[in-house]
């Protein structure tokens, strides 16, 4: 009788038994044969083969480009903590929007840098139909109507204390903030914003905004809820970009989520979906991809992820020192978001990644 190791069939089945005992994964209920029947390197040998078996793809259609806007004309200010990112006056933001559309990016997201003198306790500028972000939306939609425009709904660019809501006795008051967010949302919808993205993490804001939109005839305005947004240190450079870092009194831990919690993200998403969100977002990205995965698995809804300013700064900072390969870490970090289940990614790398994806075709 041939010894098991000389009989190839036998070898395979013995390996299979061993693989099973070792808890090897099963495919479609069938145990996967062990080595050498299975050599996972076979499929990896050639580029064409890797392309054939690849499980995920990153497309230009998956990318959203966040832009910072300022007053003025032909004005461009570099953001120190985000090398390569600038605040743009509206005319230059329109040019950027034209570029985004010509690259095939589906949408941009606008964030205003409000003049210090216009920020107050009540966030009054947020309700001004002629404020910076509303003028930017109008100018961009007039020039490139086919490009999706997303606006944050949150008060932090407008408050003198830097919080996303209104302060009452030093507490960010949930219900008073809701009324303010509703007014801000209507002003932005009126300006022509396609997707309103509440990013403030107040309880009940999706429901409040959705019913106000319906009552005011904005039945087609989409709501992208920053549903699971964590109280993260990765937003630091963004706060520099919108000029709120030195304004912020305290921190945002009473409304943004605790980085130690995961199940709670599912409760946040469930509520926002019940209140009328069309899409949900998890933020930050790379450090929270477990949350993206869980949200996508649980709800099967359009799920976006925000590759935050801090993630951008980390990668660019290391690449500038020659410590990381810039092109490769950009594409790898975006692909990781896709693999985790994201349908789209907000990324400051969007135009650069889009150019790369175009070149690869
Ligand atoms: C404001 C807002 C923040 C970001 C998007 N909208 C900052 C914050 O909540 O403090 C962060 C984006 C980034 O870091 O790139 N509500």
């Amino acid at each position: 009788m041939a010894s098991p190791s000389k009989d190839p069939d036998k070898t395979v089945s013995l390996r299979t038994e061993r693989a099973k005992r070792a808890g090897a994964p099963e495919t479609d209920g069938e145990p996967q044969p062990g080595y050498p029947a299975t050599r996972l390197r076979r499929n990896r040998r050639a580029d064409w083969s890797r392309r054939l078996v690849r499980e995920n793809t990153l497309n230009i259609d998956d990318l959203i480009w966040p832009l910072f806007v300022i007053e003025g004309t032909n004005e461009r200010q570099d953001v120190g903590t985000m090398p390569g990112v600038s605040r743009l006056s509206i005319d230059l933001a329109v040019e950027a929007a034209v570029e985004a559309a010509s690259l095939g990016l589906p949408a941009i997201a606008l964030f205003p840098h409000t003049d210090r003198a216009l920020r107050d306790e009540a966030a009054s500028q947020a309700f001004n139909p002629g404020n910076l972000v509303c003028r930017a939306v109008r100018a961009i939609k007039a020039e490139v109507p086919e490009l999706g425009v997303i606006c944050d709904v949150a008060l932090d660019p407008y408050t003198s204390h830097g919080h996303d809501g209104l302060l009452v006795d030093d507490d960010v008051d949930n219900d008073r903030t809701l009324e303010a967010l509703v007014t801000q949302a209507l002003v932005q919808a009126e300006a022509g914003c396609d997707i309103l993205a509440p990013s403030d993490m107040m309880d009940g804001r999706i429901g409040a905004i959705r019913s106000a939109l319906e009552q005011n005839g904005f039945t087609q305005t989409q709501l992208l809820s920053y549903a699971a947004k964590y109280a993260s240190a990765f937003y630091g450079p963004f706060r520099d970009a919108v000029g709120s870092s030195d304004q912020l009194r305290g921190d945002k831990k009473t409304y943004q989520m605790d980085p130690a919690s995961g199940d709670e993200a599912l409760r946040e998403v469930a509520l926002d979906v019940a209140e009328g969100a069309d899409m949900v977002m998890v933020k930050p990205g790379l450090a929270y991809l477990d949350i993206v995965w869980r949200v996508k698995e649980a709800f099967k809804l359009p799920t976006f992820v925000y590759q935050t300013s801090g993630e951008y700064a980390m990668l660019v900072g290391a690449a500038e020192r020659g410590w990381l390969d810039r092109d490769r870490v950009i594409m790898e970090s975006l692909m990781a978001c896709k693999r985790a289940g994201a349908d789209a990614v907000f990324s400051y790398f969007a135009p650069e990644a889009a150019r790369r994806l175009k070149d690869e075709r």
Side-chain angles (χ1 to χ4, degrees), residues 111 152 154 156 164 199 229 234-235 238-239 252 256 283 306 308-309 348:
F111 297 96
D152 248 36
D156 57 311
D164 292 26
S199 70
K229 175 170 175 180
F234 285 104
Y235 311 151
F238 173 96
R239 292 181 193 165
K252 300 191 178 183
Q256 299 180 345
K283 180 176 169 206
Y306 203 130
T308 51
S309 55
Y348 302 97

Side-chain angles (χ1 to χ4, degrees), residues 224-241:
L224 162 62
S225 171
Y226 284 68
K229 175 170 175 180
Y230 284 84
S232 170
F234 285 104
Y235 311 151
F238 173 96
R239 292 181 193 165
D240 294 340

